[in-house]
Amino acid sequence: MIVPVGYASAHGSTHEVAERIASGLEEAGHRVECHHLEDGDIGSPASRDACVVGSAVHNRDWLPGARRWVERYATELSRMPVWMFGVGMSRAPGHRVRARAEQEQERRVVEALREVVRPVGHKVFSGEVHPDHLNPMGRTLFRAMGGRYGYHRDWSVVDAWTGSVAERLAARRGRRASPGGGGGRG
Ligand SMILES: Cc1cc2nc3c(=O)[nH]c(=O)nc-3n(C[C@H](O)[C@H](O)[C@H](O)COP(=O)(O)O)c2cc1C
């Protein structure tokens, strides 16, 4: 079973996270294809049995390439287990606003896509924020939120999530290999 890992990234953090997820799944024995969804339509996932898809979060939304791909192949994706991830700045803001920012991101980003595809799992990872990524208004808002610029990735969180996805995929593969085993989303 080949598992596509599709992602959209503007400044590279989501690319790195997607590559890390892909490597983790490969190390766990899965066959993986990693695709940048902003590079153009990678085609239908119909022939795949499962999918991992994610995006950088900009202005509380996924980047257009990732969102478009999920919406376009919603029917195909609804027939297989899908794991979603977002890369935002959830660890960057100061303590007080962090939990609220994470909840808000979960609510805004995922609920909208959940109308289209119901993921088996969803996770928001922290990426990287630098002043030159933001316009003057963005920098003002970021400062007002008590944000801290810099590198906020936590690979242990990415690896733990990847491990849980790998286990679910292995269980699914086991079920499919066993007599009477079949498809389904679990
Ligand atoms: C224009 C812009 C808007 C952003 N808006 C959000 C946001 O609404 N929520 C959030 O959590 N992070 C936001 N971020 C932070 C990015 O998601 C974060 O920097 C992430 O690591 C970007 O991933 P990338 O390097 O793959 O593009 C924004 C970044 C930029 C440049």
Short mmCIF file of all heavy atoms in Angstrom, two decimals, residues 88-93 125-129 142 147-155:
data_model
loop_
_atom_site.label_atom_id
_atom_site.label_comp_id
_atom_site.label_asym_id
_atom_site.label_seq_id
_atom_site.Cartn_x
_atom_site.Cartn_y
_atom_site.Cartn_z
N GLY A 88 1.48 25.77 11.89
CA GLY A 88 1.20 27.18 12.19
C GLY A 88 2.17 27.69 13.23
O GLY A 88 3.28 27.19 13.37
N MET A 89 1.73 28.67 13.96
CA MET A 89 2.63 29.25 14.97
C MET A 89 2.04 29.05 16.36
O MET A 89 2.12 29.92 17.21
CB MET A 89 2.90 30.72 14.69
CG MET A 89 1.68 31.56 14.46
SD MET A 89 2.20 33.17 13.85
CE MET A 89 0.62 33.97 13.70
N SER A 90 1.45 27.86 16.56
CA SER A 90 0.75 27.64 17.82
C SER A 90 1.67 27.72 19.03
O SER A 90 1.21 28.07 20.11
CB SER A 90 0.02 26.30 17.79
OG SER A 90 0.91 25.27 17.51
N ARG A 91 2.95 27.42 18.87
CA ARG A 91 3.85 27.52 20.04
C ARG A 91 4.52 28.88 20.11
O ARG A 91 5.21 29.18 21.08
CB ARG A 91 4.92 26.43 19.99
CG ARG A 91 4.36 25.05 20.27
CD ARG A 91 5.42 23.99 20.19
NE ARG A 91 6.31 24.00 21.33
CZ ARG A 91 7.63 24.04 21.24
NH1 ARG A 91 8.23 24.11 20.09
NH2 ARG A 91 8.36 24.03 22.34
N ALA A 92 4.34 29.69 19.06
CA ALA A 92 5.04 30.97 19.06
C ALA A 92 4.41 32.03 19.97
O ALA A 92 5.12 32.75 20.65
CB ALA A 92 5.14 31.50 17.63
N PRO A 93 3.09 32.16 19.98
CA PRO A 93 2.54 33.22 20.82
C PRO A 93 2.84 32.99 22.30
O PRO A 93 3.12 31.87 22.72
CB PRO A 93 1.03 33.12 20.57
CG PRO A 93 0.88 32.39 19.29
CD PRO A 93 2.05 31.47 19.25
N PHE A 125 1.01 21.33 14.08
CA PHE A 125 2.41 21.40 14.50
C PHE A 125 2.87 22.85 14.45
O PHE A 125 2.31 23.66 13.71
CB PHE A 125 3.29 20.57 13.57
CG PHE A 125 2.94 19.12 13.53
CD1 PHE A 125 2.44 18.54 12.37
CD2 PHE A 125 3.09 18.31 14.65
CE1 PHE A 125 2.10 17.20 12.33
CE2 PHE A 125 2.75 16.97 14.62
CZ PHE A 125 2.26 16.41 13.46
N SER A 126 3.91 23.13 15.20
CA SER A 126 4.47 24.48 15.17
C SER A 126 5.56 24.57 14.12
O SER A 126 6.36 23.64 13.96
CB SER A 126 5.07 24.82 16.53
OG SER A 126 4.03 25.07 17.43
N GLY A 127 5.59 25.69 13.44
CA GLY A 127 6.59 25.89 12.39
C GLY A 127 7.57 26.98 12.76
O GLY A 127 8.16 26.96 13.84
N GLU A 128 7.70 27.91 11.87
CA GLU A 128 8.74 28.92 12.00
C GLU A 128 8.16 30.26 11.57
O GLU A 128 7.47 30.33 10.56
CB GLU A 128 9.88 28.52 11.05
CG GLU A 128 11.17 29.17 11.32
CD GLU A 128 12.28 28.48 10.53
OE1 GLU A 128 12.09 27.34 10.06
OE2 GLU A 128 13.33 29.10 10.40
N VAL A 129 8.42 31.29 12.33
CA VAL A 129 7.90 32.62 11.97
C VAL A 129 9.05 33.62 12.04
O VAL A 129 9.75 33.69 13.05
CB VAL A 129 6.78 33.08 12.94
CG1 VAL A 129 6.13 34.35 12.41
CG2 VAL A 129 5.73 32.01 13.13
N PHE A 142 1.08 40.25 15.24
CA PHE A 142 1.91 39.22 15.89
C PHE A 142 2.49 39.76 17.20
O PHE A 142 2.45 39.09 18.23
CB PHE A 142 3.03 38.81 14.92
CG PHE A 142 3.79 37.60 15.36
CD1 PHE A 142 3.22 36.33 15.28
CD2 PHE A 142 5.09 37.71 15.84
CE1 PHE A 142 3.93 35.21 15.67
CE2 PHE A 142 5.80 36.59 16.24
CZ PHE A 142 5.22 35.34 16.15
N GLY A 147 3.64 37.42 20.34
CA GLY A 147 4.32 36.37 19.57
C GLY A 147 5.84 36.45 19.68
O GLY A 147 6.40 37.51 19.93
N ARG A 148 6.47 35.30 19.50
CA ARG A 148 7.94 35.24 19.50
C ARG A 148 8.39 34.69 18.15
O ARG A 148 7.96 33.60 17.74
CB ARG A 148 8.45 34.31 20.61
CG ARG A 148 8.46 34.98 21.98
CD ARG A 148 8.92 34.03 23.07
NE ARG A 148 7.92 32.98 23.29
CZ ARG A 148 8.14 31.68 23.13
NH1 ARG A 148 9.32 31.24 22.74
NH2 ARG A 148 7.19 30.81 23.36
N TYR A 149 9.21 35.47 17.46
CA TYR A 149 9.71 35.00 16.18
C TYR A 149 10.70 33.85 16.39
O TYR A 149 11.32 33.75 17.45
CB TYR A 149 10.43 36.14 15.44
CG TYR A 149 9.48 37.22 14.96
CD1 TYR A 149 9.54 38.50 15.48
CD2 TYR A 149 8.52 36.94 13.98
CE1 TYR A 149 8.67 39.50 15.05
CE2 TYR A 149 7.65 37.93 13.54
CZ TYR A 149 7.73 39.20 14.08
OH TYR A 149 6.87 40.17 13.66
N GLY A 150 10.85 33.04 15.39
CA GLY A 150 11.89 32.02 15.43
C GLY A 150 11.39 30.64 15.05
O GLY A 150 10.33 30.48 14.46
N TYR A 151 12.21 29.68 15.43
CA TYR A 151 12.03 28.29 15.04
C TYR A 151 11.31 27.58 16.18
O TYR A 151 11.84 27.49 17.29
CB TYR A 151 13.44 27.73 14.84
CG TYR A 151 13.54 26.32 14.37
CD1 TYR A 151 13.76 26.03 13.02
CD2 TYR A 151 13.46 25.26 15.25
CE1 TYR A 151 13.91 24.74 12.57
CE2 TYR A 151 13.59 23.95 14.81
CZ TYR A 151 13.82 23.71 13.48
OH TYR A 151 13.95 22.42 13.05
N HIS A 152 10.11 27.10 15.91
CA HIS A 152 9.31 26.51 16.99
C HIS A 152 8.98 25.04 16.74
O HIS A 152 8.09 24.50 17.37
CB HIS A 152 8.01 27.31 17.17
CG HIS A 152 8.26 28.74 17.52
ND1 HIS A 152 8.66 29.15 18.77
CD2 HIS A 152 8.20 29.87 16.77
CE1 HIS A 152 8.82 30.46 18.78
NE2 HIS A 152 8.54 30.92 17.58
N ARG A 153 9.65 24.44 15.78
CA ARG A 153 9.30 23.05 15.49
C ARG A 153 9.71 22.14 16.64
O ARG A 153 10.73 22.38 17.29
CB ARG A 153 10.01 22.59 14.21
CG ARG A 153 9.50 23.31 12.98
CD ARG A 153 9.70 22.52 11.75
NE ARG A 153 10.69 23.01 10.80
CZ ARG A 153 11.10 24.24 10.63
NH1 ARG A 153 10.69 25.19 11.45
NH2 ARG A 153 11.96 24.55 9.70
N ASP A 154 8.91 21.11 16.88
CA ASP A 154 9.24 20.14 17.92
C ASP A 154 9.13 18.76 17.27
O ASP A 154 8.04 18.22 17.10
CB ASP A 154 8.26 20.28 19.10
CG ASP A 154 8.61 19.34 20.25
OD1 ASP A 154 9.35 18.36 20.00
OD2 ASP A 154 8.16 19.59 21.37
N TRP A 155 10.29 18.22 16.90
CA TRP A 155 10.27 16.97 16.14
C TRP A 155 9.71 15.82 16.95
O TRP A 155 9.18 14.86 16.39
CB TRP A 155 11.67 16.63 15.62
CG TRP A 155 12.15 17.61 14.58
CD1 TRP A 155 13.27 18.39 14.65
CD2 TRP A 155 11.51 17.95 13.33
NE1 TRP A 155 13.37 19.18 13.53
CE2 TRP A 155 12.31 18.93 12.71
CE3 TRP A 155 10.35 17.52 12.69
CZ2 TRP A 155 11.99 19.48 11.46
CZ3 TRP A 155 10.02 18.07 11.45
CH2 TRP A 155 10.83 19.03 10.85
#
